[in-house]
Amino acid sequence: MHEGCRSSIIRNQYDGDKYVIVSSYDKDECLFLMNNMRDGCLLLIDDLNNWKARQLWKKIVADERATITFDLYYLGIVMVVDKRYKINYKVNF
């Protein structure tokens, strides 16, 4: 993440600022983060190959707060961007 944006700060929890948020597929943690995300926040969900994580991913993609989502099959990226249309990308590589 630092290679893409040197000013980003990687944390394992949300602290109220516009930081990059890295999380696993813990349902309660992810829903808490989704409730507190605002414009400019980013959430990464890892291990989408896991059935439990994939089920959570489907809920997050359907959530109106998740403006832009990228499904990389093993990793999910959720962005909250005000004034943008909701869209989900599946990235094949």
Side-chain angles (χ1 to χ4, degrees):
M1 294 302 292
H2 278 121
E3 293 303 316
C5 179
R6 298 229 183 250
S7 65
S8 66
I9 299 173
I10 300 173
R11 304 210 182 231
N12 287 327
Q13 60 196 32
Y14 183 78
D15 66 0
D17 289 327
K18 290 185 179 180
Y19 292 141
V20 174
I21 303 163
V22 179
S23 178
S24 65
Y25 54 86
D26 181 275
K27 180 180 177 181
D28 294 332
E29 179 185 7
C30 288
L31 295 178
F32 171 79
L33 293 171
M34 285 296 298
N35 286 331
N36 292 289
M37 288 176 68
R38 61 178 192 262
D39 185 44
C41 285
L42 177 73
L43 174 65
L44 302 176
I45 309 294
D46 61 355
D47 197 22
L48 288 185
N49 293 330
N50 179 298
W51 183 84
K52 190 175 179 181
R54 182 55 65 174
Q55 298 308 309
L56 176 60
W57 177 250
K58 289 177 182 178
K59 290 181 183 179
I60 290 173
V61 169
D63 192 314
E64 286 300 316
R65 295 170 290 193
T67 313
I68 303 170
T69 53
F70 295 90
D71 185 340
L72 304 174
Y73 292 104
Y74 62 89
L75 177 74
I77 303 172
V78 181
M79 298 171 62
V80 174
V81 183
D82 290 346
K83 300 179 183 172
R84 293 288 307 250
Y85 292 106
K86 182 173 177 53
I87 190 163
N88 178 49
Y89 295 100
K90 273 196 172 181
V91 180
N92 295 313
F93 52 91

